[in-house]
Amino acid sequence: MLWGSSPCLDLAAYDEVGDGSLNVLIVSAGDTRHLLQTLAKRYKHSYAKIRIYVYEPVVDMYARHIQQIALALEPVDRMSLQYKVRTWMELYGNSLVKPNTNSYLIKKSAQLIDIITDETARQHCLPIIQLDALKYKERDTIETIFKYWKNNNGFNITMMWDKRVRNYLGTRYDHRNNVFDWDLHMALHYIDGGNRITNQEYTYWRDTGVAYTFLETDCTEPNYTFALALLKDGDKITAMDYFGDIINGPFPSFGLDCEDDDMLKMGNMQPLKRSVDLTERNLTRMFYEIENQKPYKHKGKTDNLGVIITELPNVKIQEVQTSSSQVKVMSEHYSSINVNDVEIHFIPRTAMADYPTFDRYKNFFDVMYCGHMYFEKMNFHITSMIKDGGVVLMETRKFIVNYKKKQHDEFKQKLIDLMKNCKCMSSEDIDVVKNAVIKFNKQC
């Protein structure tokens, strides 16, 4: 939850049916990495229209999805490219963020509330997203989350993170750095591409929840987007706990590979660039290409960020008792980056049961991506929405720390049986240890 477990993909590159428009279904991806990468690489394809349907079993995740899309589409006159990238990284993968990032989230949340509740505001500020399929209760849930972000009523993520780590490790907590080091070197580094994650950044994230660190900044404010399980009592909204990932990390999504060879250089059998640096370069390329629709070429010398922050300032996050009526934040309405050839549809929680019964969705999607968290719920009815010859991309559990060989073998056999039942075949070797995603084609 909160992020995916595989590198980002341009889903349009997998289309083999192609009729001028592209319909994509993304199921339980955990974040917007594939969606944004598909937006960025549109210039490589010639689709008149791309429609992306997003499904998450937990509707609360849509709030983070919308926030990530809105930030990625901030116009350059509102936010510079570098500032956008680092702000996006912090809100995506850090339990604590900079004060400026928190201020941005507060102001943006006011706009997002208008977008979710006012159709005119949505069409003006973020027309790429389509919310009409969501039920009123689901919209209310998303609105409540945005209000919680805006109000900043106190979210003690440091205590919640430490509590989760203590419960997970038990008696090993006092030796947690040794546990983290073991998981990295005996698990992640044995995964293809996993050696890009350095010891310092992984250990630091496991201990604090801060994945992305930069030399000139301190992260001291709680990241309110990590609060998903909210309890509403009148005007008061409280986060019950943190229920996200504390073992694998957000690094595989953007931080294991790069189109620029200079970012992949090794020295003394160690990567010269952190996974954080690769993430920053990849997101810089992605956001530049979303806006300009041409290849990104890095200019200037690449800095070698060899210093890694390994200790947080001793800042205690206080619980602030503030009612929503006391918070006055003006909502700014301005247009996002124009992406009028793409529609992003958020669909309701019941969609995977209901949509296969609707005639309009029979043989409707050209490409479907299914995250590994939804694997056990996949069935023949869902794949009936895929066109004959269409592509089904199944995420494996390659980057799951401490996933044993026996578990991988069991997953592989279940995947083969499932896809056979769904009348989907793969022309490639089904290697769930080597490949983060397995491609299948639906048979006629």
Side-chain angles (χ1 to χ4, degrees), residues 103-128:
S103 297
Y104 165 80
L105 181 64
I106 293 172
K107 294 178 181 178
K108 193 65 180 180
S109 297
Q111 185 194 85
L112 294 177
I113 291 171
D114 291 343
I115 289 173
I116 199 75
T117 58
D118 185 349
E119 178 63 15
T120 302
R122 183 198 66 80
Q123 291 180 0
H124 176 66
C125 299
L126 201 61
I128 190 174

PDB file of all heavy atoms in Angstrom, residues 103-128:
ATOM      1  N   SER A 103       3.363  22.997   3.460  1.00  0.00           N
ATOM      2  CA  SER A 103       2.584  24.193   3.116  1.00  0.00           C
ATOM      3  C   SER A 103       1.930  24.037   1.746  1.00  0.00           C
ATOM      4  O   SER A 103       0.772  24.425   1.545  1.00  0.00           O
ATOM      5  CB  SER A 103       3.486  25.431   3.131  1.00  0.00           C
ATOM      6  OG  SER A 103       4.000  25.667   4.424  1.00  0.00           O
ATOM      7  N   TYR A 104       2.687  23.462   0.808  1.00  0.00           N
ATOM      8  CA  TYR A 104       2.114  23.212  -0.522  1.00  0.00           C
ATOM      9  C   TYR A 104       0.923  22.269  -0.420  1.00  0.00           C
ATOM     10  O   TYR A 104      -0.122  22.494  -1.048  1.00  0.00           O
ATOM     11  CB  TYR A 104       3.166  22.613  -1.456  1.00  0.00           C
ATOM     12  CG  TYR A 104       2.562  22.004  -2.700  1.00  0.00           C
ATOM     13  CD1 TYR A 104       2.188  22.799  -3.775  1.00  0.00           C
ATOM     14  CD2 TYR A 104       2.322  20.628  -2.780  1.00  0.00           C
ATOM     15  CE1 TYR A 104       1.597  22.246  -4.902  1.00  0.00           C
ATOM     16  CE2 TYR A 104       1.736  20.068  -3.903  1.00  0.00           C
ATOM     17  CZ  TYR A 104       1.378  20.879  -4.965  1.00  0.00           C
ATOM     18  OH  TYR A 104       0.782  20.326  -6.072  1.00  0.00           O
ATOM     19  N   LEU A 105       1.073  21.201   0.381  1.00  0.00           N
ATOM     20  CA  LEU A 105      -0.006  20.218   0.501  1.00  0.00           C
ATOM     21  C   LEU A 105      -1.261  20.852   1.094  1.00  0.00           C
ATOM     22  O   LEU A 105      -2.380  20.553   0.655  1.00  0.00           O
ATOM     23  CB  LEU A 105       0.450  19.042   1.366  1.00  0.00           C
ATOM     24  CG  LEU A 105      -0.572  17.920   1.561  1.00  0.00           C
ATOM     25  CD1 LEU A 105      -0.894  17.249   0.227  1.00  0.00           C
ATOM     26  CD2 LEU A 105      -0.068  16.886   2.563  1.00  0.00           C
ATOM     27  N   ILE A 106      -1.090  21.723   2.074  1.00  0.00           N
ATOM     28  CA  ILE A 106      -2.240  22.393   2.686  1.00  0.00           C
ATOM     29  C   ILE A 106      -2.994  23.219   1.640  1.00  0.00           C
ATOM     30  O   ILE A 106      -4.219  23.132   1.513  1.00  0.00           O
ATOM     31  CB  ILE A 106      -1.779  23.286   3.854  1.00  0.00           C
ATOM     32  CG1 ILE A 106      -1.235  22.428   5.007  1.00  0.00           C
ATOM     33  CG2 ILE A 106      -2.927  24.159   4.351  1.00  0.00           C
ATOM     34  CD1 ILE A 106      -0.591  23.232   6.120  1.00  0.00           C
ATOM     35  N   LYS A 107      -2.246  24.019   0.889  1.00  0.00           N
ATOM     36  CA  LYS A 107      -2.881  24.870  -0.125  1.00  0.00           C
ATOM     37  C   LYS A 107      -3.499  24.034  -1.248  1.00  0.00           C
ATOM     38  O   LYS A 107      -4.600  24.332  -1.721  1.00  0.00           O
ATOM     39  CB  LYS A 107      -1.852  25.841  -0.697  1.00  0.00           C
ATOM     40  CG  LYS A 107      -1.347  26.865   0.312  1.00  0.00           C
ATOM     41  CD  LYS A 107      -0.291  27.773  -0.310  1.00  0.00           C
ATOM     42  CE  LYS A 107       0.234  28.775   0.712  1.00  0.00           C
ATOM     43  NZ  LYS A 107       1.299  29.639   0.141  1.00  0.00           N
ATOM     44  N   LYS A 108      -2.775  23.005  -1.665  1.00  0.00           N
ATOM     45  CA  LYS A 108      -3.281  22.176  -2.758  1.00  0.00           C
ATOM     46  C   LYS A 108      -4.519  21.405  -2.329  1.00  0.00           C
ATOM     47  O   LYS A 108      -5.441  21.184  -3.136  1.00  0.00           O
ATOM     48  CB  LYS A 108      -2.191  21.202  -3.220  1.00  0.00           C
ATOM     49  CG  LYS A 108      -2.507  20.522  -4.549  1.00  0.00           C
ATOM     50  CD  LYS A 108      -2.552  21.533  -5.683  1.00  0.00           C
ATOM     51  CE  LYS A 108      -2.853  20.887  -7.019  1.00  0.00           C
ATOM     52  NZ  LYS A 108      -2.898  21.880  -8.114  1.00  0.00           N
ATOM     53  N   SER A 109      -4.564  20.998  -1.066  1.00  0.00           N
ATOM     54  CA  SER A 109      -5.722  20.244  -0.576  1.00  0.00           C
ATOM     55  C   SER A 109      -6.998  21.064  -0.672  1.00  0.00           C
ATOM     56  O   SER A 109      -8.077  20.520  -0.940  1.00  0.00           O
ATOM     57  CB  SER A 109      -5.484  19.802   0.872  1.00  0.00           C
ATOM     58  OG  SER A 109      -4.377  18.931   0.959  1.00  0.00           O
ATOM     59  N   ALA A 110      -6.878  22.365  -0.446  1.00  0.00           N
ATOM     60  CA  ALA A 110      -8.052  23.232  -0.577  1.00  0.00           C
ATOM     61  C   ALA A 110      -8.581  23.198  -2.006  1.00  0.00           C
ATOM     62  O   ALA A 110      -9.802  23.152  -2.235  1.00  0.00           O
ATOM     63  CB  ALA A 110      -7.692  24.660  -0.168  1.00  0.00           C
ATOM     64  N   GLN A 111      -7.667  23.209  -2.967  1.00  0.00           N
ATOM     65  CA  GLN A 111      -8.089  23.113  -4.365  1.00  0.00           C
ATOM     66  C   GLN A 111      -8.666  21.736  -4.675  1.00  0.00           C
ATOM     67  O   GLN A 111      -9.672  21.613  -5.386  1.00  0.00           O
ATOM     68  CB  GLN A 111      -6.904  23.391  -5.294  1.00  0.00           C
ATOM     69  CG  GLN A 111      -7.277  23.428  -6.771  1.00  0.00           C
ATOM     70  CD  GLN A 111      -6.066  23.366  -7.682  1.00  0.00           C
ATOM     71  OE1 GLN A 111      -5.568  22.299  -8.002  1.00  0.00           O
ATOM     72  NE2 GLN A 111      -5.582  24.543  -8.089  1.00  0.00           N
ATOM     73  N   LEU A 112      -8.047  20.686  -4.128  1.00  0.00           N
ATOM     74  CA  LEU A 112      -8.521  19.327  -4.396  1.00  0.00           C
ATOM     75  C   LEU A 112      -9.916  19.097  -3.830  1.00  0.00           C
ATOM     76  O   LEU A 112     -10.708  18.333  -4.402  1.00  0.00           O
ATOM     77  CB  LEU A 112      -7.533  18.309  -3.815  1.00  0.00           C
ATOM     78  CG  LEU A 112      -6.145  18.279  -4.465  1.00  0.00           C
ATOM     79  CD1 LEU A 112      -5.242  17.276  -3.750  1.00  0.00           C
ATOM     80  CD2 LEU A 112      -6.235  17.945  -5.949  1.00  0.00           C
ATOM     81  N   ILE A 113     -10.227  19.745  -2.714  1.00  0.00           N
ATOM     82  CA  ILE A 113     -11.586  19.654  -2.160  1.00  0.00           C
ATOM     83  C   ILE A 113     -12.589  20.217  -3.159  1.00  0.00           C
ATOM     84  O   ILE A 113     -13.654  19.634  -3.399  1.00  0.00           O
ATOM     85  CB  ILE A 113     -11.670  20.397  -0.811  1.00  0.00           C
ATOM     86  CG1 ILE A 113     -10.862  19.655   0.256  1.00  0.00           C
ATOM     87  CG2 ILE A 113     -13.128  20.536  -0.361  1.00  0.00           C
ATOM     88  CD1 ILE A 113     -10.707  20.426   1.556  1.00  0.00           C
ATOM     89  N   ASP A 114     -12.242  21.349  -3.760  1.00  0.00           N
ATOM     90  CA  ASP A 114     -13.130  21.937  -4.768  1.00  0.00           C
ATOM     91  C   ASP A 114     -13.253  21.029  -5.988  1.00  0.00           C
ATOM     92  O   ASP A 114     -14.338  20.879  -6.568  1.00  0.00           O
ATOM     93  CB  ASP A 114     -12.601  23.309  -5.197  1.00  0.00           C
ATOM     94  CG  ASP A 114     -12.726  24.345  -4.095  1.00  0.00           C
ATOM     95  OD1 ASP A 114     -13.497  24.104  -3.146  1.00  0.00           O
ATOM     96  OD2 ASP A 114     -12.039  25.385  -4.168  1.00  0.00           O
ATOM     97  N   ILE A 115     -12.145  20.410  -6.381  1.00  0.00           N
ATOM     98  CA  ILE A 115     -12.158  19.536  -7.553  1.00  0.00           C
ATOM     99  C   ILE A 115     -13.075  18.339  -7.336  1.00  0.00           C
ATOM    100  O   ILE A 115     -13.803  17.922  -8.244  1.00  0.00           O
ATOM    101  CB  ILE A 115     -10.720  19.071  -7.881  1.00  0.00           C
ATOM    102  CG1 ILE A 115      -9.897  20.247  -8.439  1.00  0.00           C
ATOM    103  CG2 ILE A 115     -10.726  17.908  -8.871  1.00  0.00           C
ATOM    104  CD1 ILE A 115      -8.429  19.935  -8.636  1.00  0.00           C
ATOM    105  N   ILE A 116     -13.069  17.795  -6.121  1.00  0.00           N
ATOM    106  CA  ILE A 116     -13.871  16.596  -5.850  1.00  0.00           C
ATOM    107  C   ILE A 116     -15.341  16.932  -5.625  1.00  0.00           C
ATOM    108  O   ILE A 116     -16.222  16.080  -5.785  1.00  0.00           O
ATOM    109  CB  ILE A 116     -13.300  15.835  -4.626  1.00  0.00           C
ATOM    110  CG1 ILE A 116     -13.790  14.371  -4.593  1.00  0.00           C
ATOM    111  CG2 ILE A 116     -13.663  16.511  -3.330  1.00  0.00           C
ATOM    112  CD1 ILE A 116     -13.142  13.481  -5.572  1.00  0.00           C
ATOM    113  N   THR A 117     -15.635  18.194  -5.279  1.00  0.00           N
ATOM    114  CA  THR A 117     -17.018  18.564  -4.941  1.00  0.00           C
ATOM    115  C   THR A 117     -17.677  19.475  -5.968  1.00  0.00           C
ATOM    116  O   THR A 117     -18.905  19.610  -5.969  1.00  0.00           O
ATOM    117  CB  THR A 117     -17.058  19.280  -3.575  1.00  0.00           C
ATOM    118  OG1 THR A 117     -16.209  20.442  -3.612  1.00  0.00           O
ATOM    119  CG2 THR A 117     -16.586  18.354  -2.468  1.00  0.00           C
ATOM    120  N   ASP A 118     -16.893  20.101  -6.831  1.00  0.00           N
ATOM    121  CA  ASP A 118     -17.427  21.088  -7.769  1.00  0.00           C
ATOM    122  C   ASP A 118     -16.988  20.722  -9.186  1.00  0.00           C
ATOM    123  O   ASP A 118     -15.799  20.758  -9.511  1.00  0.00           O
ATOM    124  CB  ASP A 118     -16.924  22.485  -7.396  1.00  0.00           C
ATOM    125  CG  ASP A 118     -17.531  23.586  -8.258  1.00  0.00           C
ATOM    126  OD1 ASP A 118     -18.174  23.264  -9.279  1.00  0.00           O
ATOM    127  OD2 ASP A 118     -17.349  24.767  -7.917  1.00  0.00           O
ATOM    128  N   GLU A 119     -17.939  20.375 -10.029  1.00  0.00           N
ATOM    129  CA  GLU A 119     -17.630  19.950 -11.391  1.00  0.00           C
ATOM    130  C   GLU A 119     -16.969  21.070 -12.190  1.00  0.00           C
ATOM    131  O   GLU A 119     -16.067  20.821 -12.999  1.00  0.00           O
ATOM    132  CB  GLU A 119     -18.911  19.489 -12.088  1.00  0.00           C
ATOM    133  CG  GLU A 119     -18.738  19.063 -13.541  1.00  0.00           C
ATOM    134  CD  GLU A 119     -17.836  17.858 -13.710  1.00  0.00           C
ATOM    135  OE1 GLU A 119     -17.564  17.162 -12.704  1.00  0.00           O
ATOM    136  OE2 GLU A 119     -17.395  17.609 -14.853  1.00  0.00           O
ATOM    137  N   THR A 120     -17.383  22.297 -11.958  1.00  0.00           N
ATOM    138  CA  THR A 120     -16.773  23.427 -12.666  1.00  0.00           C
ATOM    139  C   THR A 120     -15.301  23.571 -12.300  1.00  0.00           C
ATOM    140  O   THR A 120     -14.450  23.810 -13.166  1.00  0.00           O
ATOM    141  CB  THR A 120     -17.520  24.730 -12.336  1.00  0.00           C
ATOM    142  OG1 THR A 120     -18.900  24.588 -12.691  1.00  0.00           O
ATOM    143  CG2 THR A 120     -16.918  25.901 -13.095  1.00  0.00           C
ATOM    144  N   ALA A 121     -14.988  23.409 -11.017  1.00  0.00           N
ATOM    145  CA  ALA A 121     -13.597  23.489 -10.564  1.00  0.00           C
ATOM    146  C   ALA A 121     -12.769  22.353 -11.154  1.00  0.00           C
ATOM    147  O   ALA A 121     -11.612  22.549 -11.544  1.00  0.00           O
ATOM    148  CB  ALA A 121     -13.543  23.454  -9.040  1.00  0.00           C
ATOM    149  N   ARG A 122     -13.352  21.165 -11.226  1.00  0.00           N
ATOM    150  CA  ARG A 122     -12.625  20.031 -11.808  1.00  0.00           C
ATOM    151  C   ARG A 122     -12.289  20.288 -13.272  1.00  0.00           C
ATOM    152  O   ARG A 122     -11.158  20.056 -13.715  1.00  0.00           O
ATOM    153  CB  ARG A 122     -13.454  18.749 -11.682  1.00  0.00           C
ATOM    154  CG  ARG A 122     -12.731  17.499 -12.195  1.00  0.00           C
ATOM    155  CD  ARG A 122     -13.692  16.357 -12.470  1.00  0.00           C
ATOM    156  NE  ARG A 122     -14.607  16.646 -13.560  1.00  0.00           N
ATOM    157  CZ  ARG A 122     -14.299  16.552 -14.850  1.00  0.00           C
ATOM    158  NH1 ARG A 122     -13.077  16.201 -15.225  1.00  0.00           N
ATOM    159  NH2 ARG A 122     -15.197  16.830 -15.784  1.00  0.00           N
ATOM    160  N   GLN A 123     -13.264  20.762 -14.018  1.00  0.00           N
ATOM    161  CA  GLN A 123     -13.044  21.005 -15.441  1.00  0.00           C
ATOM    162  C   GLN A 123     -12.004  22.095 -15.679  1.00  0.00           C
ATOM    163  O   GLN A 123     -11.267  22.052 -16.662  1.00  0.00           O
ATOM    164  CB  GLN A 123     -14.365  21.382 -16.113  1.00  0.00           C
ATOM    165  CG  GLN A 123     -15.360  20.239 -16.189  1.00  0.00           C
ATOM    166  CD  GLN A 123     -16.654  20.640 -16.867  1.00  0.00           C
ATOM    167  OE1 GLN A 123     -16.822  21.780 -17.297  1.00  0.00           O
ATOM    168  NE2 GLN A 123     -17.591  19.704 -16.961  1.00  0.00           N
ATOM    169  N   HIS A 124     -11.922  23.040 -14.767  1.00  0.00           N
ATOM    170  CA  HIS A 124     -10.966  24.133 -14.929  1.00  0.00           C
ATOM    171  C   HIS A 124      -9.571  23.754 -14.428  1.00  0.00           C
ATOM    172  O   HIS A 124      -8.571  24.045 -15.095  1.00  0.00           O
ATOM    173  CB  HIS A 124     -11.456  25.373 -14.182  1.00  0.00           C
ATOM    174  CG  HIS A 124     -10.488  26.519 -14.222  1.00  0.00           C
ATOM    175  ND1 HIS A 124     -10.157  27.183 -15.390  1.00  0.00           N
ATOM    176  CD2 HIS A 124      -9.754  27.111 -13.241  1.00  0.00           C
ATOM    177  CE1 HIS A 124      -9.275  28.129 -15.136  1.00  0.00           C
ATOM    178  NE2 HIS A 124      -9.006  28.106 -13.833  1.00  0.00           N
ATOM    179  N   CYS A 125      -9.501  23.098 -13.273  1.00  0.00           N
ATOM    180  CA  CYS A 125      -8.212  22.850 -12.618  1.00  0.00           C
ATOM    181  C   CYS A 125      -7.565  21.524 -13.009  1.00  0.00           C
ATOM    182  O   CYS A 125      -6.341  21.458 -13.154  1.00  0.00           O
ATOM    183  CB  CYS A 125      -8.379  22.895 -11.095  1.00  0.00           C
ATOM    184  SG  CYS A 125      -8.960  24.467 -10.451  1.00  0.00           S
ATOM    185  N   LEU A 126      -8.362  20.479 -13.149  1.00  0.00           N
ATOM    186  CA  LEU A 126      -7.791  19.159 -13.414  1.00  0.00           C
ATOM    187  C   LEU A 126      -8.745  18.342 -14.288  1.00  0.00           C
ATOM    188  O   LEU A 126      -9.282  17.314 -13.869  1.00  0.00           O
ATOM    189  CB  LEU A 126      -7.526  18.438 -12.082  1.00  0.00           C
ATOM    190  CG  LEU A 126      -6.510  17.292 -12.079  1.00  0.00           C
ATOM    191  CD1 LEU A 126      -5.130  17.787 -12.500  1.00  0.00           C
ATOM    192  CD2 LEU A 126      -6.436  16.641 -10.708  1.00  0.00           C
ATOM    193  N   PRO A 127      -8.956  18.777 -15.528  1.00  0.00           N
ATOM    194  CA  PRO A 127      -9.943  18.109 -16.387  1.00  0.00           C
ATOM    195  C   PRO A 127      -9.556  16.701 -16.805  1.00  0.00           C
ATOM    196  O   PRO A 127     -10.407  15.950 -17.290  1.00  0.00           O
ATOM    197  CB  PRO A 127     -10.022  19.043 -17.606  1.00  0.00           C
ATOM    198  CG  PRO A 127      -8.702  19.753 -17.629  1.00  0.00           C
ATOM    199  CD  PRO A 127      -8.326  19.931 -16.195  1.00  0.00           C
ATOM    200  N   ILE A 128      -8.299  16.323 -16.607  1.00  0.00           N
ATOM    201  CA  ILE A 128      -7.859  14.997 -17.029  1.00  0.00           C
ATOM    202  C   ILE A 128      -8.529  13.891 -16.221  1.00  0.00           C
ATOM    203  O   ILE A 128      -8.740  12.788 -16.716  1.00  0.00           O
ATOM    204  CB  ILE A 128      -6.320  14.878 -16.929  1.00  0.00           C
ATOM    205  CG1 ILE A 128      -5.841  13.579 -17.592  1.00  0.00           C
ATOM    206  CG2 ILE A 128      -5.852  14.933 -15.486  1.00  0.00           C
ATOM    207  CD1 ILE A 128      -4.335  13.456 -17.666  1.00  0.00           C
TER     208      ILE A 128
END
